[in-house]
Amino acid sequence: MTIHLKGISAEDIGKVTLLVGDPGRVKIISQNLEKPRLILNNREFVLMNGFWNGQKVSICSTGIGVSSTEIAIIELIEQGAKMLVRIGGCGAWKDDIKPGDIIINNAMARELGLLNAYAIDSFPAVADPLLIQSIMEKAVSRNFNTHYGIGLTSQSYYLGQDRKPRIKSGPNVNNLMNYWQERSILNCEMETAVIYMLASIYGIRAANCLVVHGNRLNNEWVPEEEYHNIHVKVTNIVLEACFDVLEKYN
């Protein structure tokens, strides 16, 4: 019995499970599915399933950050999830990446903290190479401006992403972005590393396909409606890629 994804069973989980942070985005991208059905709505966790080209697919929200994402991933795997792809947003940390572009991360730098409960900090947070390659090929073939490389999963939204809170007292930022730029980090977000690590540990496939919400260097942002529309388009290429991998390798 699942503790937080209350009442779900193996029958609710599709061959592919798409992961989003925002519960509201579950319904947005479910428009790609036939016969979408709400299975769960509890706290930050919303789960829907439906059919894409006759194949069952799940969409689950994870909330913000590694802690709630860990809960969702563990309970999804307990119920038989075999392929996880995060479709979400990120901030670009390179000046040649534009709002609305796509970033596909083959690996994530990560911080100490919750993830060390599963493995020491030398354990990598890496995507499934076959799945990442398939998503990359689909994105490029659909003429998305697509970038590929290592990102950063932060456990903090403010100082940990080089943002100073609008509070007079307290600590200031410390050029953290420069540190990671010198190491060719493309982007920063808050969930992918835990997905990659847990997928590796428990023997399932995982990848991401992220929409650049904004460029942190020039403070340019994609309009919200366009941002959601890109997620809808990305969902289709991700599902194509996932089922191609399932057909060829599973």
Side-chain angles (χ1 to χ4, degrees), residues 10-28:
E11 288 71 29
D12 298 317
I13 307 301
K15 292 183 177 181
V16 176
T17 301
L18 305 180
L19 304 170
V20 299
D22 181 0
R25 195 172 298 132
V26 174
K27 186 175 181 180
I28 290 171

PDB file of all heavy atoms in Angstrom, residues 10-28:
ATOM      1  N   ALA A  10      -0.690  -1.191  -9.286  1.00  0.00           N
ATOM      2  CA  ALA A  10       0.107  -1.438 -10.486  1.00  0.00           C
ATOM      3  C   ALA A  10      -0.705  -1.208 -11.765  1.00  0.00           C
ATOM      4  O   ALA A  10      -0.149  -0.796 -12.789  1.00  0.00           O
ATOM      5  CB  ALA A  10       0.653  -2.869 -10.447  1.00  0.00           C
ATOM      6  N   GLU A  11      -1.994  -1.436 -11.702  1.00  0.00           N
ATOM      7  CA  GLU A  11      -2.846  -1.248 -12.892  1.00  0.00           C
ATOM      8  C   GLU A  11      -2.947   0.221 -13.304  1.00  0.00           C
ATOM      9  O   GLU A  11      -3.345   0.528 -14.431  1.00  0.00           O
ATOM     10  CB  GLU A  11      -4.245  -1.802 -12.628  1.00  0.00           C
ATOM     11  CG  GLU A  11      -4.340  -3.321 -12.584  1.00  0.00           C
ATOM     12  CD  GLU A  11      -3.697  -3.917 -11.338  1.00  0.00           C
ATOM     13  OE1 GLU A  11      -3.686  -3.226 -10.291  1.00  0.00           O
ATOM     14  OE2 GLU A  11      -3.210  -5.057 -11.407  1.00  0.00           O
ATOM     15  N   ASP A  12      -2.619   1.125 -12.402  1.00  0.00           N
ATOM     16  CA  ASP A  12      -2.698   2.558 -12.707  1.00  0.00           C
ATOM     17  C   ASP A  12      -1.453   3.093 -13.400  1.00  0.00           C
ATOM     18  O   ASP A  12      -1.453   4.228 -13.869  1.00  0.00           O
ATOM     19  CB  ASP A  12      -2.911   3.359 -11.410  1.00  0.00           C
ATOM     20  CG  ASP A  12      -4.210   2.994 -10.718  1.00  0.00           C
ATOM     21  OD1 ASP A  12      -5.227   2.847 -11.426  1.00  0.00           O
ATOM     22  OD2 ASP A  12      -4.197   2.850  -9.486  1.00  0.00           O
ATOM     23  N   ILE A  13      -0.374   2.292 -13.442  1.00  0.00           N
ATOM     24  CA  ILE A  13       0.912   2.759 -13.951  1.00  0.00           C
ATOM     25  C   ILE A  13       1.099   2.284 -15.382  1.00  0.00           C
ATOM     26  O   ILE A  13       0.981   1.089 -15.678  1.00  0.00           O
ATOM     27  CB  ILE A  13       2.073   2.241 -13.074  1.00  0.00           C
ATOM     28  CG1 ILE A  13       1.822   2.580 -11.604  1.00  0.00           C
ATOM     29  CG2 ILE A  13       3.398   2.827 -13.560  1.00  0.00           C
ATOM     30  CD1 ILE A  13       1.663   4.052 -11.315  1.00  0.00           C
ATOM     31  N   GLY A  14       1.395   3.215 -16.277  1.00  0.00           N
ATOM     32  CA  GLY A  14       1.597   2.875 -17.674  1.00  0.00           C
ATOM     33  C   GLY A  14       2.991   2.352 -17.959  1.00  0.00           C
ATOM     34  O   GLY A  14       3.859   2.296 -17.080  1.00  0.00           O
ATOM     35  N   LYS A  15       3.222   2.002 -19.227  1.00  0.00           N
ATOM     36  CA  LYS A  15       4.554   1.551 -19.640  1.00  0.00           C
ATOM     37  C   LYS A  15       5.574   2.681 -19.522  1.00  0.00           C
ATOM     38  O   LYS A  15       6.765   2.438 -19.331  1.00  0.00           O
ATOM     39  CB  LYS A  15       4.508   1.035 -21.079  1.00  0.00           C
ATOM     40  CG  LYS A  15       3.727  -0.250 -21.255  1.00  0.00           C
ATOM     41  CD  LYS A  15       3.802  -0.736 -22.689  1.00  0.00           C
ATOM     42  CE  LYS A  15       3.071  -2.064 -22.840  1.00  0.00           C
ATOM     43  NZ  LYS A  15       3.139  -2.578 -24.240  1.00  0.00           N
ATOM     44  N   VAL A  16       5.097   3.916 -19.661  1.00  0.00           N
ATOM     45  CA  VAL A  16       5.923   5.113 -19.495  1.00  0.00           C
ATOM     46  C   VAL A  16       5.237   5.996 -18.458  1.00  0.00           C
ATOM     47  O   VAL A  16       4.021   6.158 -18.497  1.00  0.00           O
ATOM     48  CB  VAL A  16       6.070   5.882 -20.821  1.00  0.00           C
ATOM     49  CG1 VAL A  16       6.847   7.170 -20.626  1.00  0.00           C
ATOM     50  CG2 VAL A  16       6.728   5.007 -21.884  1.00  0.00           C
ATOM     51  N   THR A  17       6.028   6.554 -17.544  1.00  0.00           N
ATOM     52  CA  THR A  17       5.495   7.522 -16.586  1.00  0.00           C
ATOM     53  C   THR A  17       6.203   8.848 -16.786  1.00  0.00           C
ATOM     54  O   THR A  17       7.433   8.931 -16.670  1.00  0.00           O
ATOM     55  CB  THR A  17       5.678   7.046 -15.135  1.00  0.00           C
ATOM     56  OG1 THR A  17       5.011   5.797 -14.949  1.00  0.00           O
ATOM     57  CG2 THR A  17       5.111   8.073 -14.162  1.00  0.00           C
ATOM     58  N   LEU A  18       5.436   9.873 -17.131  1.00  0.00           N
ATOM     59  CA  LEU A  18       5.964  11.226 -17.276  1.00  0.00           C
ATOM     60  C   LEU A  18       5.872  11.933 -15.930  1.00  0.00           C
ATOM     61  O   LEU A  18       4.859  11.825 -15.234  1.00  0.00           O
ATOM     62  CB  LEU A  18       5.174  11.999 -18.332  1.00  0.00           C
ATOM     63  CG  LEU A  18       5.090  11.339 -19.715  1.00  0.00           C
ATOM     64  CD1 LEU A  18       4.273  12.216 -20.662  1.00  0.00           C
ATOM     65  CD2 LEU A  18       6.468  11.072 -20.288  1.00  0.00           C
ATOM     66  N   LEU A  19       6.906  12.661 -15.587  1.00  0.00           N
ATOM     67  CA  LEU A  19       6.978  13.347 -14.304  1.00  0.00           C
ATOM     68  C   LEU A  19       7.021  14.852 -14.524  1.00  0.00           C
ATOM     69  O   LEU A  19       7.796  15.346 -15.333  1.00  0.00           O
ATOM     70  CB  LEU A  19       8.235  12.915 -13.546  1.00  0.00           C
ATOM     71  CG  LEU A  19       8.391  11.413 -13.300  1.00  0.00           C
ATOM     72  CD1 LEU A  19       9.779  11.114 -12.779  1.00  0.00           C
ATOM     73  CD2 LEU A  19       7.326  10.911 -12.326  1.00  0.00           C
ATOM     74  N   VAL A  20       6.179  15.564 -13.803  1.00  0.00           N
ATOM     75  CA  VAL A  20       6.185  17.031 -13.824  1.00  0.00           C
ATOM     76  C   VAL A  20       6.254  17.511 -12.375  1.00  0.00           C
ATOM     77  O   VAL A  20       5.844  16.800 -11.461  1.00  0.00           O
ATOM     78  CB  VAL A  20       4.938  17.598 -14.536  1.00  0.00           C
ATOM     79  CG1 VAL A  20       4.882  17.146 -15.981  1.00  0.00           C
ATOM     80  CG2 VAL A  20       3.656  17.193 -13.809  1.00  0.00           C
ATOM     81  N   GLY A  21       6.781  18.691 -12.172  1.00  0.00           N
ATOM     82  CA  GLY A  21       6.821  19.231 -10.825  1.00  0.00           C
ATOM     83  C   GLY A  21       5.470  19.782 -10.395  1.00  0.00           C
ATOM     84  O   GLY A  21       4.929  19.430  -9.347  1.00  0.00           O
ATOM     85  N   ASP A  22       4.915  20.633 -11.236  1.00  0.00           N
ATOM     86  CA  ASP A  22       3.685  21.364 -10.949  1.00  0.00           C
ATOM     87  C   ASP A  22       2.461  20.464 -11.118  1.00  0.00           C
ATOM     88  O   ASP A  22       2.234  19.934 -12.213  1.00  0.00           O
ATOM     89  CB  ASP A  22       3.607  22.560 -11.904  1.00  0.00           C
ATOM     90  CG  ASP A  22       2.373  23.419 -11.695  1.00  0.00           C
ATOM     91  OD1 ASP A  22       1.552  23.112 -10.809  1.00  0.00           O
ATOM     92  OD2 ASP A  22       2.238  24.416 -12.431  1.00  0.00           O
ATOM     93  N   PRO A  23       1.644  20.279 -10.075  1.00  0.00           N
ATOM     94  CA  PRO A  23       0.433  19.460 -10.227  1.00  0.00           C
ATOM     95  C   PRO A  23      -0.492  19.968 -11.342  1.00  0.00           C
ATOM     96  O   PRO A  23      -1.166  19.167 -12.000  1.00  0.00           O
ATOM     97  CB  PRO A  23      -0.246  19.567  -8.859  1.00  0.00           C
ATOM     98  CG  PRO A  23       0.855  19.880  -7.909  1.00  0.00           C
ATOM     99  CD  PRO A  23       1.830  20.735  -8.678  1.00  0.00           C
ATOM    100  N   GLY A  24      -0.507  21.280 -11.560  1.00  0.00           N
ATOM    101  CA  GLY A  24      -1.360  21.831 -12.597  1.00  0.00           C
ATOM    102  C   GLY A  24      -0.934  21.440 -14.001  1.00  0.00           C
ATOM    103  O   GLY A  24      -1.745  21.482 -14.940  1.00  0.00           O
ATOM    104  N   ARG A  25       0.336  21.055 -14.152  1.00  0.00           N
ATOM    105  CA  ARG A  25       0.820  20.691 -15.481  1.00  0.00           C
ATOM    106  C   ARG A  25       0.385  19.291 -15.881  1.00  0.00           C
ATOM    107  O   ARG A  25       0.426  18.940 -17.063  1.00  0.00           O
ATOM    108  CB  ARG A  25       2.338  20.833 -15.552  1.00  0.00           C
ATOM    109  CG  ARG A  25       2.887  20.824 -16.998  1.00  0.00           C
ATOM    110  CD  ARG A  25       4.363  21.162 -17.060  1.00  0.00           C
ATOM    111  NE  ARG A  25       4.572  22.502 -16.551  1.00  0.00           N
ATOM    112  CZ  ARG A  25       5.499  22.819 -15.656  1.00  0.00           C
ATOM    113  NH1 ARG A  25       6.284  21.892 -15.162  1.00  0.00           N
ATOM    114  NH2 ARG A  25       5.642  24.067 -15.244  1.00  0.00           N
ATOM    115  N   VAL A  26      -0.045  18.479 -14.929  1.00  0.00           N
ATOM    116  CA  VAL A  26      -0.503  17.130 -15.264  1.00  0.00           C
ATOM    117  C   VAL A  26      -1.667  17.212 -16.256  1.00  0.00           C
ATOM    118  O   VAL A  26      -1.675  16.545 -17.289  1.00  0.00           O
ATOM    119  CB  VAL A  26      -0.917  16.360 -14.000  1.00  0.00           C
ATOM    120  CG1 VAL A  26      -1.535  15.008 -14.371  1.00  0.00           C
ATOM    121  CG2 VAL A  26       0.279  16.155 -13.077  1.00  0.00           C
ATOM    122  N   LYS A  27      -2.644  18.049 -15.945  1.00  0.00           N
ATOM    123  CA  LYS A  27      -3.800  18.176 -16.834  1.00  0.00           C
ATOM    124  C   LYS A  27      -3.412  18.795 -18.168  1.00  0.00           C
ATOM    125  O   LYS A  27      -3.942  18.409 -19.219  1.00  0.00           O
ATOM    126  CB  LYS A  27      -4.881  19.021 -16.157  1.00  0.00           C
ATOM    127  CG  LYS A  27      -6.181  19.091 -16.961  1.00  0.00           C
ATOM    128  CD  LYS A  27      -7.269  19.829 -16.203  1.00  0.00           C
ATOM    129  CE  LYS A  27      -8.562  19.855 -17.010  1.00  0.00           C
ATOM    130  NZ  LYS A  27      -9.643  20.565 -16.280  1.00  0.00           N
ATOM    131  N   ILE A  28      -2.476  19.746 -18.143  1.00  0.00           N
ATOM    132  CA  ILE A  28      -2.063  20.416 -19.378  1.00  0.00           C
ATOM    133  C   ILE A  28      -1.495  19.417 -20.375  1.00  0.00           C
ATOM    134  O   ILE A  28      -1.868  19.395 -21.547  1.00  0.00           O
ATOM    135  CB  ILE A  28      -1.038  21.530 -19.079  1.00  0.00           C
ATOM    136  CG1 ILE A  28      -1.721  22.691 -18.342  1.00  0.00           C
ATOM    137  CG2 ILE A  28      -0.382  22.035 -20.369  1.00  0.00           C
ATOM    138  CD1 ILE A  28      -0.761  23.731 -17.819  1.00  0.00           C
TER     139      ILE A  28
END
